[in-house]
Amino acid sequence: ACGNSDTGGGGTKDDGKITMGFSQVGAESGWRTANTISIKEAATAAGIELKFDDAQQKQENQIKAIRNYIQQKVDVIAFSPVVESGWDTVLKEAKDANIPVILTDRSVDSADKSLYKTFLGSDFVKEGKLAGEWLVEQKKTASGPVNIVELQGSTGAAPANDRKKGFAEAIAANPNLKVIASQTGDFTRAGGKQVMEQFLKANPKIDVLFAHNDDMGLGALEAITAAGKVPGKDITIITIDAVKDGMQALADGKFNFIAECSPLLGPQLMDLAKKVKDGQEVPARIETQETTFTTEQAKEALPNRKY
Ligand code: GZL
């Protein structure tokens, strides 16, 4: 590097080592823990210096962290936006400071696509759709109403908005399938348990639980068994993520179906950071490849699961 920090570029040191500032959502779920491990391990493997901040699921903490990274003149900023909206101002500051931004895991609703180089993450609408399509197939012979309760992810988060949308679109195929209650459990086990207790108190007939992530489903299991019902039998349970504890519940028949959402984004993120730093063009959207699991498939897959 020419060593002249006025070039406005990042803070690449003379040793050419790239510095990345990463703002993480928090540590709310097993998925998030696995995602953080993937990012930290991949940075080490790629020889990238990683500055890491845990925002405890607060947007203002992410904005603060991004501003710090701009001050420190990092080479690349990457983050998983806890909610979709309210990023344009700080992303404009990063752009004005000539620091490229990579969105990982979750996206933003900014109309100005020049505010970030790429979005690496899953298609959450598809995940919701896969969950709904499986249920439609399972309940195609149902004669009467099938009452569904839904544990939504964090309010305003892209995975919550999109999974809800995809699931609703899919179950519209069978008017017997009705979401009778839908509320956020904030992607946490505690939230899932608390809200499921309320659902059970208010609704005598619940046939299906759709939880936007395994952790809320795992919390709901406690409420369901405490209410004297058998999870996976009295109440069909569909979740998203496929982290180890979720896959174990699925293998045990307590869950019935999981749409995978892979947290292992670290290696791709570091590869993108190098390309972006070198000024190479990168695709505007890189979609995570992932699958779905039934109980039988979970039993087979469990021994080899990395997270
Ligand atoms: C999805 C990710 C979600 C997970 C949850 O990519 O943003 O956040 O599904 C996590 O487990 O809390």
Side-chain angles (χ1 to χ4, degrees):
C2 57
N4 168 4
S5 62
D6 294 338
T7 53
T12 311
K13 297 190 182 53
D14 296 339
D15 61 5
K17 200 170 166 75
I18 292 178
T19 304
M20 172 188 284
F22 191 93
S23 166
Q24 179 61 293
V25 165
E28 73 282 0
S29 64
W31 189 99
R32 191 62 56 197
T33 305
N35 179 245
T36 291
I37 292 167
S38 174
I39 288 161
K40 288 182 173 175
E41 287 181 351
T44 305
I48 286 178
E49 184 188 338
L50 181 70
K51 294 174 184 293
F52 187 89
D53 178 83
D54 172 335
Q56 289 156 355
Q57 288 189 278
K58 292 189 180 60
Q59 179 172 31
E60 64 266 20
N61 290 345
Q62 291 198 288
I63 291 171
K64 224 178 281 168
I66 292 169
R67 286 194 166 127
N68 282 339
Y69 296 146
I70 294 171
Q71 288 306 316
Q72 294 164 36
K73 295 188 184 309
V74 297
D75 294 300
V76 185
I77 289 171
F79 75 117
S80 171
V82 61
V83 292
E84 284 191 280
S85 309
W87 301 98
D88 288 33
T89 303
V90 74
L91 291 180
K92 186 94 180 51
E93 290 165 21
K95 184 178 176 185
D96 293 346
N98 209 3
I99 300 177
V101 173
I102 297 175
L103 298 182
T104 80
D105 169 30
R106 299 183 186 178
S107 189
V108 298
D109 60 9
S110 306
D112 181 356
K113 302 294 178 204
S114 76
L115 291 175
Y116 53 91
K117 291 293 178 194
T118 182
F119 164 38
L120 162 65
S122 302
D123 178 339
F124 302 127
V125 175
K126 190 191 288 185
E127 293 168 345
K129 196 160 164 287
L130 288 168
E133 286 170 349
W134 179 83
L135 186 61
V136 168
E137 182 53 32
Q138 290 301 307
K139 298 291 182 182
K140 65 184 176 206
T141 58
S143 52
V146 176
N147 291 345
I148 303 163
V149 293
E150 180 179 29
L151 287 169
Q152 293 182 39
S154 307
T155 304
N161 295 335
D162 293 353
R163 287 169 182 170
K164 183 171 182 359
K165 180 169 178 281
F167 183 77
E169 282 168 0
I171 65 167
N174 178 349
N176 275 331
L177 302 178
K178 286 187 177 46
V179 176
I180 59 169
S182 181
Q183 198 178 319
T184 181
D186 210 16
F187 280 132
T188 65
R189 291 190 187 209
K193 180 179 178 194
Q194 218 170 8
V195 175
M196 192 65 201
E197 282 166 353
Q198 292 164 22
F199 284 164
L200 287 159
K201 281 200 191 85
N203 303 282
K205 182 181 182 289
I206 297 175
D207 304 300
V208 180
L209 163 63
F210 170 48
H212 289 184
N213 79 333
D214 291 348
D215 286 64
M216 292 190 292
L218 293 164
L221 286 184
E222 293 177 43
I224 292 168
T225 42
K229 293 178 186 282
V230 181
K233 292 198 174 27
D234 298 335
I235 297 180
T236 298
I237 299 180
I238 305 163
T239 66
I240 298 179
D241 274 355
V243 294
K244 196 173 282 292
D245 290 347
M247 290 287 271
Q248 189 58 61
L250 180 58
D252 296 344
K254 293 175 186 159
F255 285 178
N256 302 93
F257 185 76
I258 301 182
E260 183 184 36
C261 175
S262 175
L264 303 179
L265 304 175
Q268 283 172 289
L269 172 58
M270 298 311 154
D271 182 44
L272 282 164
K274 288 181 175 173
K275 287 197 172 93
V276 158
K277 186 59 208 147
D278 288 349
Q280 289 178 38
E281 276 307 301
V282 293
R285 176 79 176 92
I286 299 152
E287 186 183 322
T288 311
Q289 299 311 305
E290 50 204 29
T291 182
T292 59
F293 295 96
T294 61
T295 288
E296 282 321 303
Q297 290 163 338
K299 284 176 184 164
E300 278 161 39
L302 253 176
N304 312 319
R305 293 296 283 178
K306 291 193 216 101
Y307 60 91

